[in-house]
């Protein structure tokens, strides 16, 4: 196996070690286990998990607080071959983010052979010279040790072919909680020295409105992804506590718009007799209540924003 180092246990920090704080982002194909890993590291659900690429359009940060360090996880949208202005803008966002973070974790599922998608991302990573890159082989609970060893060697080779060295190669299973702590131990030394950047209690600094919009968007896409892959944007117009409510029975009014590109898509979203939109409302309302810990009245409207994915002005208005 040559000089490849795969880490399977952590090294103890000496007493009185420096405190570090910095940013990491996980990259990888859709379904490579990025959100699950973020949730496992942070210890509670922050990133919105979905079995669909490009759902995390915004910088969701999970924050790992440790006595010796604070690790801030920045989530970048998936890098993909752009077909629209939105695609190009997302790719620019990705590259900028990669160049600005302190360490990049490239997630590769243990149970899938390396494919063109992985190579595409690895090539992009190779061009970002300064940032250290850790290869994280995820979903190790789904394979036996022989298959895992082969994947680790393949990942090592991938770096060599593209002319860069992985700072670490780490196998993990977020689901079985194996080596997740170790991964944090390996990410921390790659961060710069410095005090914590966020107060102890913070787990995500994403504004609630963005997370709420994301939950509604997820619910709206459920079951119609083939017809509307991502021509849906959600904007939370306002969130206001309902007046004249007793303190022990608060109610939060949330008014949100689901934007689609064409009038013909309206029927798909709303469904026969408005049944679908109602289901979307019920489903996302439950999740929003769980997120905020307060009862919510959700008012949803569908609006057409013509070809918003190609119009820079609309993109700005919708927060991209």
């Amino acid at each position: 196996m040559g000089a490849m180092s795969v880490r399977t246990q952590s090294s103890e920090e000496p007493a009185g070690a420096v405190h570090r704080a910095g940013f990491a982002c996980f990259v990888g194909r859709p379904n490579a286990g990025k959100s699950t890993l973020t949730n496992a590291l942070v210890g509670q659900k922050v990133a919105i998990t979905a079995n669909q690429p490009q759902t995390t359009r915004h910088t969701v940060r999970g924050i790992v607080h440790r006595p010796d360090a604070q690790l801030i996880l920045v989530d970048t949208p998936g890098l993909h071959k752009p077909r629209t202005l939105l695609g190009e803008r997302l790719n620019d966002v990705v590259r900028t983010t990669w160049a600005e973070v302190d360490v990049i974790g490239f997630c590769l599922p243990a149970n899938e052979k390396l494919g063109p998608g992985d190579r595409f991302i690895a090539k992009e990573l190779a061009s970002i010279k300064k940032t250290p890159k850790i290869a994280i082989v995820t979903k190790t609970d789904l394979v036996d040790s022989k298959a895992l060893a082969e994947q680790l060697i393949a990942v090592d080779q991938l770096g060599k072919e593209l002319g860069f060295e992985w700072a670490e190669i780490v196998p993990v299973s977020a689901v079985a909680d194996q080596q997740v702590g170790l991964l944090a131990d390996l990410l921390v030394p790659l961060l710069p020295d410095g005090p914590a950047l966020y107060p102890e209690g913070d787990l995500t600094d994403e504004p609630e409105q963005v997370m709420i919009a994301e939950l509604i968007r997820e619910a709206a896409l459920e079951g119609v992804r083939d017809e509307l892959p991502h021509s849906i944007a959600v904007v939370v117009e306002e969130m206001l506590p309902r007046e004249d409510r007793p303190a022990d029975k608060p109610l939060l009014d949330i008014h949100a718009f689901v934007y689609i590109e064409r009038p013909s898509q309206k029927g798909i979203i709303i469904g026969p007799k408005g049944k679908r939109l109602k289901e979307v409302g019920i489903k996302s309302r439950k999740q929003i209540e769980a997120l905020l810990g307060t009862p919510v009245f959700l008012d949803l409207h569908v609006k057409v924003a013509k070809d918003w994915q190609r119009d820079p002005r609309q993109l700005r208005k919708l927060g991209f």
Side-chain angles (χ1 to χ4, degrees):
M1 298 221 335
M4 163 189 162
S5 73
V6 176
R7 298 294 281 269
T8 50
Q9 69 204 37
S10 64
S11 52
E12 287 301 305
E13 281 279 311
V18 292
H19 187 280
R20 296 176 181 275
F23 296 84
C25 74
F26 294 146
V27 304
R29 282 181 299 134
N31 274 346
K34 302 183 291 284
S35 293
T36 319
L37 189 55
T38 300
N39 297 338
L41 275 165
V42 175
Q44 65 153 276
K45 196 166 162 31
V46 279
I48 314 261
T49 48
N51 46 8
Q52 185 66 10
Q54 289 140 240
T55 45
T56 324
R57 285 258 175 94
H58 297 270
T59 309
V60 178
R61 296 187 179 89
I63 302 172
V64 183
H65 298 279
R66 299 168 38 132
D68 61 332
Q70 187 176 66
L71 172 66
I72 299 144
L73 302 171
V74 186
D75 213 11
T76 52
L79 185 80
H80 56 289
K81 300 198 163 93
R83 288 187 302 276
T84 61
L85 179 65
L86 174 65
E88 281 173 36
R89 184 158 306 173
L90 285 175
N91 281 358
D92 291 342
V93 169
V94 173
R95 290 196 187 90
T96 319
T97 306
W98 288 4
E100 286 169 358
V101 295
D102 300 299
V103 54
I104 300 170
F106 184 16
C107 296
L108 303 117
N111 62 331
E112 292 172 36
K113 288 260 180 283
L114 299 189
D118 297 316
R119 209 161 281 276
F120 177 68
I121 295 172
K123 255 207 187 84
E124 289 289 334
L125 285 179
S127 69
I128 293 168
K129 299 274 186 273
K130 286 217 261 298
T131 316
K133 300 166 246 325
I134 285 187
I136 306 165
V137 176
T138 57
K139 308 187 183 186
T140 55
D141 53 298
L142 301 179
V143 297
D144 60 18
S145 53
K146 183 172 176 288
L148 178 57
E150 283 167 7
Q151 187 72 323
L152 293 168
I153 293 168
V155 169
D156 188 43
Q157 278 309 113
L158 180 64
K160 289 201 168 80
E161 271 168 51
L162 294 170
F164 69 88
E165 189 75 42
W166 299 109
E168 303 279 356
I169 300 175
V170 197
V172 303
S173 165
V175 174
D177 196 26
Q178 287 168 335
Q179 307 234 104
V180 175
L182 168 69
L183 174 62
D185 291 346
L186 296 176
L187 288 165
V188 163
L190 299 169
L191 305 177
D193 299 2
L197 301 164
Y198 288 86
E200 182 71 56
D202 291 6
L203 290 171
T204 170
D205 81 334
E206 179 158 29
E208 284 167 348
Q209 262 150 299
V210 173
M211 290 181 86
I212 289 165
E214 201 57 65
L215 288 171
I216 296 170
R217 186 169 178 272
E218 269 307 298
L221 276 172
E222 205 63 48
V224 294
R225 290 212 153 88
D226 305 340
E227 299 156 272
L228 309 169
H230 32 255
S231 39
I232 297 183
V234 174
V235 174
V236 174
E237 287 289 316
E238 56 179 15
M239 291 167 52
L240 295 167
R242 177 83 56 95
E243 286 178 16
D244 319 322
R245 297 282 292 202
D248 57 342
K249 289 218 171 110
L251 183 68
L252 186 65
D253 283 313
I254 297 179
H255 301 277
F257 289 106
V258 179
Y259 284 97
I260 47 181
E261 290 193 298
R262 289 185 288 286
S264 59
Q265 298 169 334
K266 214 165 178 169
I268 302 174
I269 285 287
I270 293 173
K273 295 205 172 91
K275 190 164 163 279
R276 233 192 129 260
L277 190 64
K278 202 172 186 166
E279 283 167 10
V280 169
I282 292 168
K283 186 177 175 187
S284 49
R285 194 193 77 229
K286 285 196 180 119
Q287 294 179 313
I288 294 165
E289 290 181 338
L291 176 76
L292 302 178
T294 174
V296 162
F297 173 80
L298 179 61
D299 176 43
L300 274 188
H301 293 277
V302 179
K303 277 190 167 181
V304 180
K306 260 178 91 61
D307 291 328
W308 62 265
Q309 296 201 4
R310 288 179 180 74
D311 175 351
R313 212 177 67 247
Q314 300 266 23
L315 280 174
R316 267 201 303 279
K317 192 177 111 198
L318 298 172
F320 296 114

mmCIF file of all heavy atoms in Angstrom, residues 15-42:
data_model
loop_
_atom_site.group_PDB
_atom_site.id
_atom_site.type_symbol
_atom_site.label_atom_id
_atom_site.label_comp_id
_atom_site.label_asym_id
_atom_site.label_seq_id
_atom_site.Cartn_x
_atom_site.Cartn_y
_atom_site.Cartn_z
ATOM 1 N N ALA A 15 -1.684 18.075 27.182
ATOM 2 C CA ALA A 15 -2.383 19.028 28.055
ATOM 3 C C ALA A 15 -1.925 20.441 27.717
ATOM 4 O O ALA A 15 -0.800 20.659 27.278
ATOM 5 C CB ALA A 15 -2.064 18.708 29.511
ATOM 6 N N GLY A 16 -2.847 21.389 27.925
ATOM 7 C CA GLY A 16 -2.503 22.792 27.664
ATOM 8 C C GLY A 16 -2.307 23.099 26.195
ATOM 9 O O GLY A 16 -1.593 24.024 25.841
ATOM 10 N N ALA A 17 -2.940 22.299 25.343
ATOM 11 C CA ALA A 17 -2.795 22.510 23.904
ATOM 12 C C ALA A 17 -3.514 23.791 23.482
ATOM 13 O O ALA A 17 -4.379 24.276 24.187
ATOM 14 C CB ALA A 17 -3.389 21.325 23.149
ATOM 15 N N VAL A 18 -3.123 24.311 22.307
ATOM 16 C CA VAL A 18 -3.761 25.537 21.817
ATOM 17 C C VAL A 18 -5.220 25.283 21.440
ATOM 18 O O VAL A 18 -5.610 24.148 21.173
ATOM 19 C CB VAL A 18 -3.026 26.078 20.573
ATOM 20 C CG1 VAL A 18 -1.645 26.567 20.935
ATOM 21 C CG2 VAL A 18 -2.981 25.031 19.477
ATOM 22 N N HIS A 19 -6.000 26.350 21.421
ATOM 23 C CA HIS A 19 -7.379 26.242 20.942
ATOM 24 C C HIS A 19 -7.394 26.615 19.463
ATOM 25 O O HIS A 19 -6.745 27.559 19.036
ATOM 26 C CB HIS A 19 -8.286 27.196 21.735
ATOM 27 C CG HIS A 19 -9.737 27.016 21.403
ATOM 28 N ND1 HIS A 19 -10.312 27.559 20.277
ATOM 29 C CD2 HIS A 19 -10.724 26.330 22.027
ATOM 30 C CE1 HIS A 19 -11.591 27.214 20.223
ATOM 31 N NE2 HIS A 19 -11.860 26.469 21.277
ATOM 32 N N ARG A 20 -8.137 25.842 18.692
ATOM 33 C CA ARG A 20 -8.222 26.120 17.261
ATOM 34 C C ARG A 20 -9.661 26.405 16.875
ATOM 35 O O ARG A 20 -10.592 25.929 17.516
ATOM 36 C CB ARG A 20 -7.730 24.905 16.459
ATOM 37 C CG ARG A 20 -6.271 24.614 16.696
ATOM 38 C CD ARG A 20 -5.827 23.344 15.964
ATOM 39 N NE ARG A 20 -4.424 23.072 16.237
ATOM 40 C CZ ARG A 20 -3.420 23.620 15.549
ATOM 41 N NH1 ARG A 20 -3.676 24.461 14.560
ATOM 42 N NH2 ARG A 20 -2.180 23.352 15.849
ATOM 43 N N ALA A 21 -9.840 27.165 15.819
ATOM 44 C CA ALA A 21 -11.184 27.421 15.310
ATOM 45 C C ALA A 21 -11.090 27.665 13.812
ATOM 46 O O ALA A 21 -10.177 28.352 13.353
ATOM 47 C CB ALA A 21 -11.791 28.637 15.989
ATOM 48 N N GLY A 22 -12.012 27.055 13.098
ATOM 49 C CA GLY A 22 -11.962 27.262 11.649
ATOM 50 C C GLY A 22 -13.094 26.572 10.932
ATOM 51 O O GLY A 22 -13.995 25.995 11.554
ATOM 52 N N PHE A 23 -13.019 26.633 9.604
ATOM 53 C CA PHE A 23 -14.126 26.178 8.758
ATOM 54 C C PHE A 23 -13.740 24.951 7.942
ATOM 55 O O PHE A 23 -12.620 24.855 7.445
ATOM 56 C CB PHE A 23 -14.507 27.293 7.789
ATOM 57 C CG PHE A 23 -15.043 28.509 8.488
ATOM 58 C CD1 PHE A 23 -14.181 29.474 9.000
ATOM 59 C CD2 PHE A 23 -16.407 28.680 8.657
ATOM 60 C CE1 PHE A 23 -14.680 30.593 9.663
ATOM 61 C CE2 PHE A 23 -16.916 29.791 9.310
ATOM 62 C CZ PHE A 23 -16.050 30.749 9.819
ATOM 63 N N ALA A 24 -14.695 24.037 7.842
ATOM 64 C CA ALA A 24 -14.494 22.875 6.984
ATOM 65 C C ALA A 24 -15.723 22.725 6.116
ATOM 66 O O ALA A 24 -16.813 23.133 6.505
ATOM 67 C CB ALA A 24 -14.311 21.621 7.836
ATOM 68 N N CYS A 25 -15.564 22.163 4.923
ATOM 69 C CA CYS A 25 -16.777 21.819 4.183
ATOM 70 C C CYS A 25 -16.636 20.416 3.631
ATOM 71 O O CYS A 25 -15.534 19.939 3.349
ATOM 72 C CB CYS A 25 -17.097 22.835 3.111
ATOM 73 S SG CYS A 25 -16.036 22.752 1.689
ATOM 74 N N PHE A 26 -17.764 19.735 3.552
ATOM 75 C CA PHE A 26 -17.810 18.394 2.988
ATOM 76 C C PHE A 26 -18.315 18.488 1.561
ATOM 77 O O PHE A 26 -19.297 19.172 1.287
ATOM 78 C CB PHE A 26 -18.754 17.498 3.797
ATOM 79 C CG PHE A 26 -18.261 17.239 5.194
ATOM 80 C CD1 PHE A 26 -19.155 17.105 6.247
ATOM 81 C CD2 PHE A 26 -16.908 17.134 5.457
ATOM 82 C CE1 PHE A 26 -18.707 16.871 7.541
ATOM 83 C CE2 PHE A 26 -16.452 16.901 6.753
ATOM 84 C CZ PHE A 26 -17.352 16.766 7.788
ATOM 85 N N VAL A 27 -17.607 17.818 0.683
ATOM 86 C CA VAL A 27 -18.049 17.790 -0.704
ATOM 87 C C VAL A 27 -18.225 16.333 -1.117
ATOM 88 O O VAL A 27 -17.791 15.425 -0.416
ATOM 89 C CB VAL A 27 -17.030 18.489 -1.627
ATOM 90 C CG1 VAL A 27 -16.785 19.906 -1.156
ATOM 91 C CG2 VAL A 27 -15.719 17.732 -1.679
ATOM 92 N N GLY A 28 -18.858 16.138 -2.249
ATOM 93 C CA GLY A 28 -19.065 14.779 -2.722
ATOM 94 C C GLY A 28 -20.337 14.716 -3.525
ATOM 95 O O GLY A 28 -21.142 15.637 -3.494
ATOM 96 N N ARG A 29 -20.488 13.611 -4.247
ATOM 97 C CA ARG A 29 -21.693 13.447 -5.056
ATOM 98 C C ARG A 29 -22.922 13.440 -4.155
ATOM 99 O O ARG A 29 -22.828 13.170 -2.959
ATOM 100 C CB ARG A 29 -21.630 12.119 -5.801
ATOM 101 C CG ARG A 29 -20.730 12.175 -7.024
ATOM 102 C CD ARG A 29 -20.736 10.846 -7.722
ATOM 103 N NE ARG A 29 -20.238 9.785 -6.858
ATOM 104 C CZ ARG A 29 -20.830 8.594 -6.728
ATOM 105 N NH1 ARG A 29 -21.940 8.322 -7.363
ATOM 106 N NH2 ARG A 29 -20.296 7.680 -5.950
ATOM 107 N N PRO A 30 -24.101 13.709 -4.757
ATOM 108 C CA PRO A 30 -25.343 13.574 -3.988
ATOM 109 C C PRO A 30 -25.367 12.181 -3.367
ATOM 110 O O PRO A 30 -24.865 11.238 -3.984
ATOM 111 C CB PRO A 30 -26.431 13.671 -5.049
ATOM 112 C CG PRO A 30 -25.794 14.191 -6.280
ATOM 113 C CD PRO A 30 -24.318 14.100 -6.146
ATOM 114 N N ASN A 31 -25.917 12.057 -2.186
ATOM 115 C CA ASN A 31 -25.998 10.742 -1.535
ATOM 116 C C ASN A 31 -24.669 10.192 -1.050
ATOM 117 O O ASN A 31 -24.571 9.011 -0.749
ATOM 118 C CB ASN A 31 -26.632 9.694 -2.463
ATOM 119 C CG ASN A 31 -28.133 9.741 -2.355
ATOM 120 O OD1 ASN A 31 -28.659 10.356 -1.433
ATOM 121 N ND2 ASN A 31 -28.817 9.108 -3.267
ATOM 122 N N ALA A 32 -23.638 11.039 -1.009
ATOM 123 C CA ALA A 32 -22.350 10.534 -0.515
ATOM 124 C C ALA A 32 -22.339 10.527 1.010
ATOM 125 O O ALA A 32 -21.385 10.106 1.640
ATOM 126 C CB ALA A 32 -21.202 11.381 -1.049
ATOM 127 N N GLY A 33 -23.422 11.034 1.625
ATOM 128 C CA GLY A 33 -23.521 10.984 3.086
ATOM 129 C C GLY A 33 -23.073 12.257 3.780
ATOM 130 O O GLY A 33 -22.738 12.247 4.960
ATOM 131 N N LYS A 34 -23.060 13.386 3.053
ATOM 132 C CA LYS A 34 -22.534 14.634 3.627
ATOM 133 C C LYS A 34 -23.403 15.152 4.777
ATOM 134 O O LYS A 34 -22.906 15.458 5.851
ATOM 135 C CB LYS A 34 -22.442 15.710 2.540
ATOM 136 C CG LYS A 34 -21.561 15.319 1.360
ATOM 137 C CD LYS A 34 -21.433 16.438 0.341
ATOM 138 C CE LYS A 34 -22.705 16.730 -0.419
ATOM 139 N NZ LYS A 34 -23.035 15.752 -1.458
ATOM 140 N N SER A 35 -24.713 15.231 4.539
ATOM 141 C CA SER A 35 -25.595 15.788 5.580
ATOM 142 C C SER A 35 -25.644 14.881 6.806
ATOM 143 O O SER A 35 -25.630 15.352 7.935
ATOM 144 C CB SER A 35 -27.007 15.990 5.034
ATOM 145 O OG SER A 35 -26.999 16.989 4.046
ATOM 146 N N THR A 36 -25.706 13.583 6.561
ATOM 147 C CA THR A 36 -25.751 12.622 7.678
ATOM 148 C C THR A 36 -24.501 12.767 8.525
ATOM 149 O O THR A 36 -24.551 12.726 9.755
ATOM 150 C CB THR A 36 -25.844 11.174 7.132
ATOM 151 O OG1 THR A 36 -26.749 11.171 6.038
ATOM 152 C CG2 THR A 36 -26.343 10.220 8.190
ATOM 153 N N LEU A 37 -23.384 12.966 7.858
ATOM 154 C CA LEU A 37 -22.111 13.120 8.560
ATOM 155 C C LEU A 37 -22.094 14.429 9.358
ATOM 156 O O LEU A 37 -21.683 14.464 10.518
ATOM 157 C CB LEU A 37 -20.966 13.105 7.541
ATOM 158 C CG LEU A 37 -19.550 13.031 8.095
ATOM 159 C CD1 LEU A 37 -19.393 11.834 9.013
ATOM 160 C CD2 LEU A 37 -18.541 12.955 6.963
ATOM 161 N N THR A 38 -22.590 15.498 8.742
ATOM 162 C CA THR A 38 -22.690 16.788 9.445
ATOM 163 C C THR A 38 -23.518 16.625 10.708
ATOM 164 O O THR A 38 -23.119 17.044 11.794
ATOM 165 C CB THR A 38 -23.347 17.850 8.524
ATOM 166 O OG1 THR A 38 -22.537 18.004 7.358
ATOM 167 C CG2 THR A 38 -23.465 19.195 9.232
ATOM 168 N N ASN A 39 -24.680 15.970 10.561
ATOM 169 C CA ASN A 39 -25.558 15.771 11.715
ATOM 170 C C ASN A 39 -24.877 14.947 12.797
ATOM 171 O O ASN A 39 -25.002 15.233 13.982
ATOM 172 C CB ASN A 39 -26.863 15.107 11.285
ATOM 173 C CG ASN A 39 -27.656 15.979 10.321
ATOM 174 O OD1 ASN A 39 -27.458 17.184 10.286
ATOM 175 N ND2 ASN A 39 -28.517 15.385 9.537
ATOM 176 N N ALA A 40 -24.147 13.909 12.384
ATOM 177 C CA ALA A 40 -23.478 13.043 13.362
ATOM 178 C C ALA A 40 -22.391 13.818 14.107
ATOM 179 O O ALA A 40 -22.227 13.671 15.319
ATOM 180 C CB ALA A 40 -22.876 11.824 12.660
ATOM 181 N N LEU A 41 -21.660 14.654 13.398
ATOM 182 C CA LEU A 41 -20.584 15.428 14.031
ATOM 183 C C LEU A 41 -21.132 16.477 14.985
ATOM 184 O O LEU A 41 -20.613 16.691 16.065
ATOM 185 C CB LEU A 41 -19.736 16.127 12.969
ATOM 186 C CG LEU A 41 -18.612 15.304 12.353
ATOM 187 C CD1 LEU A 41 -18.125 15.977 11.084
ATOM 188 C CD2 LEU A 41 -17.444 15.143 13.324
ATOM 189 N N VAL A 42 -22.191 17.144 14.562
ATOM 190 C CA VAL A 42 -22.743 18.228 15.363
ATOM 191 C C VAL A 42 -23.578 17.658 16.506
ATOM 192 O O VAL A 42 -23.781 18.297 17.526
ATOM 193 C CB VAL A 42 -23.578 19.172 14.472
ATOM 194 C CG1 VAL A 42 -24.268 20.239 15.287
ATOM 195 C CG2 VAL A 42 -22.684 19.824 13.437
#
